[in-house]
Amino acid sequence: MEDGCLRIIISGGGTGGHIFPAISIANAIRSKHPDAEILFVGAEGRMEMHRVPAAGYEIKGLPICGFDRKHLWKNVSVLLKIWKSQRMAAKIIKEFKPMAAVGVGGYASGPTLNKCASMGIPCLIQEQNSYAGVTNKLLSKKASKICVAYEGMERFFPADKIILTGNPVRQSLLENNMTRDDAVKKLGLDSQKKTILIVGGSLGARTINESVMQHLDDIEKSGAQFIWQTGKYYYPEICKRMEGKNLPILHITEFISDMGTAYKAADLVISRAGAGSISEFCLIEKPVILVPSPNVAEDHQTKNAMALSTRDAAILVKDIEAPEKLLPLAVKTVNDSVKLNSLSKNIAKMALRNSAEIIADEVIKLATNKK
């Protein structure tokens, strides 16, 4: 390994919301320092172990997992995995000799950044949500810099370490120069009709899917057309339930690989309230109805959604109310051009641009000062 080049560890993952920003930061570091050596550290068996190599980076896996809050007796094996992960993280760090470490949240970032900090390696953490996760709150005491996406994060972190950068998002979305009409045609839709895009994450969202199934009559009478990503898990069951129903305006798909085109075609999006998705909606100025998932730590999706809905930058529908209210409200909203325009203008005001580049600059500063 040459002494002259930057060596950076990036750790975390578990969900796309952690992995996309991590890869974007790595790409931004590489664009500024093409010879930089970047090593990812993730959790074995999690999504990052496939996604990171696919993006062209090396990754090492730790056997770490989260605590089981329902069956406390199962946590003996969790503690053993944490201990083992800390030892493995120490070995990885000694061999790689990083000049700085980045944590994006998720199980692996805990032991990796703890070890880096204890060995005198400067650490930067990136918190995507408006409500800080447990791992990042613990790591913040040892971190040199904390990059956040929302104002008011002094509630969780030391104010002198915070930089408001926003969340890095998938570059492909920002580089999509297609018009709405082009996107609609590419998807084989009718450019005269308003389009509602329904997404519940790559695995799908049961509540959002049920909300659609319970309002097929409203969909038929809406005058709009719908792109519905059911998620891989629910797709076979939904196809079975839709047999014999003739609804050509409802386009059902298991997964959308070209999200940039789908977003361009949509006049309104229905989505969960993950931090990464919200950052994307802000940057592409997209009107959105957010249905926060109730199954996330510290209910942070509700807090993310409220950061927008209180500024009339998005519409919030509670998960428990979605089966009754979501589809009728979406149909009403997509046919109200004044409301769509207002949502688009207000969400655009919340966009923070060039996040990956700003974070990369901070990482490079920490690394070069260390060097």
Side-chain angles (χ1 to χ4, degrees):
M1 238 177 249
E2 294 172 46
D3 282 340
C5 72
L6 286 176
R7 291 187 302 278
I8 310 291
I9 270 184
I10 300 178
S11 185
T15 66
H18 292 313
I19 297 161
F20 292 135
I23 292 169
S24 295
I25 295 165
N27 290 342
I29 294 169
R30 273 270 165 88
S31 72
K32 293 165 190 288
H33 285 261
D35 61 346
E37 296 198 28
I38 298 169
L39 177 67
F40 280 75
V41 179
E44 285 173 0
R46 304 290 295 207
M47 198 192 288
E48 58 267 26
M49 301 309 292
H50 306 289
R51 293 280 177 89
V52 169
Y57 295 98
E58 186 188 350
I59 187 165
K60 305 257 187 199
L62 304 179
I64 192 154
C65 61
F67 281 102
D68 190 327
R69 289 172 183 160
K70 287 180 184 161
H71 312 98
L72 294 177
W73 54 272
K74 288 187 178 175
N75 289 319
V76 175
S77 66
V78 175
L79 290 168
L80 191 64
K81 284 178 177 176
I82 291 172
W83 177 77
K84 196 177 171 191
S85 295
Q86 284 172 336
R87 293 194 60 177
M88 285 173 70
K91 187 171 182 282
I92 291 165
I93 294 157
K94 279 175 188 159
E95 285 174 2
F96 185 69
K97 298 185 180 67
M99 295 165 178
V102 180
V104 294
Y107 301 136
S109 62
T112 309
L113 266 75
N114 267 323
K115 278 291 164 196
C116 283
S118 70
M119 292 160 80
I121 295 154
C123 298
L124 175 147
I125 57 179
Q126 199 255 328
E127 174 55 65
Q128 290 103 21
N129 294 295
S130 63
Y131 193 91
V134 176
T135 304
N136 277 350
K137 278 194 273 191
L138 293 171
L139 289 171
S140 67
K141 296 171 181 67
K142 299 172 180 180
S144 305
K145 295 283 178 194
I146 302 161
C147 297
V148 300
Y150 293 90
E151 289 169 356
M153 297 301 283
E154 301 81 17
R155 290 175 296 155
F156 309 107
F157 302 131
D160 58 331
K161 295 181 179 182
I162 294 173
I163 308 168
L164 183 66
T165 59
N167 284 324
V169 302
R170 292 174 279 189
Q171 282 306 110
S172 56
L173 297 182
L174 305 181
E175 289 160 4
N176 188 320
N177 296 318
M178 218 178 246
T179 64
R180 178 196 176 270
D181 279 2
D182 287 343
V184 166
K185 280 178 192 145
K186 187 178 175 185
L187 295 169
L189 302 174
D190 182 346
S191 61
Q192 300 304 307
K193 283 189 165 82
K194 294 280 188 184
T195 306
I196 298 177
L197 171 65
I198 305 164
V199 284
S202 55
L203 296 174
R206 182 184 289 281
T207 307
I208 293 177
N209 289 342
E210 279 307 314
S211 305
V212 176
M213 289 304 300
Q214 289 181 31
H215 290 274
L216 297 175
D217 288 352
D218 290 303
I219 286 171
E220 195 170 8
K221 294 180 215 146
S222 66
Q225 58 196 344
F226 298 76
I227 308 166
W228 178 19
Q229 179 185 281
T230 63
K232 187 176 166 183
Y233 185 73
Y234 300 102
Y235 184 70
E237 177 209 341
I238 282 165
C239 287
K240 206 168 180 190
R241 287 170 69 183
M242 289 299 294
E243 276 173 17
K245 294 181 171 65
N246 183 27
L247 263 180
I249 54 167
L250 183 61
H251 302 265
I252 304 170
T253 178
E254 176 182 322
F255 181 71
I256 298 167
S257 54
D258 182 2
M259 203 45 105
T261 300
Y263 280 157
K264 279 281 182 186
D267 298 286
L268 176 69
V269 179
I270 293 170
S271 171
R272 286 303 199 193
S277 299
I278 286 178
S279 296
E280 289 174 353
F281 299 140
C282 292
L283 286 162
I284 61 174
E285 305 178 9
K286 193 58 61 177
V288 61
I289 299 178
L290 297 169
V291 186
S293 168
N295 311 314
V296 291
E298 288 121 352
D299 196 25
H300 66 244
Q301 285 206 4
T302 297
K303 288 152 185 143
N304 292 346
M306 284 175 71
L308 273 73
S309 65
T310 52
R311 292 173 170 87
D312 192 29
I315 296 168
L316 191 162
V317 173
K318 289 180 185 167
D319 189 82
I320 198 165
E321 295 175 351
E324 184 193 341
K325 294 183 176 175
L326 179 60
L327 257 292
L329 180 61
V331 169
K332 183 183 169 200
T333 306
V334 85
N335 288 310
D336 181 346
S337 53
V338 175
K339 181 67 176 171
L340 288 179
N341 194 31
S342 152
L343 286 168
S344 179
K345 269 165 105 171
N346 291 335
I347 203 167
K349 288 175 196 164
M350 296 189 70
L352 293 163
R353 298 177 192 282
N354 308 318
S355 303
E357 285 74 21
I358 297 164
I359 296 167
D361 285 337
E362 292 298 328
V363 177
I364 292 162
K365 260 189 248 173
L366 289 178
T368 47
N369 289 345
K370 161 79 178 160
K371 189 166 72 172

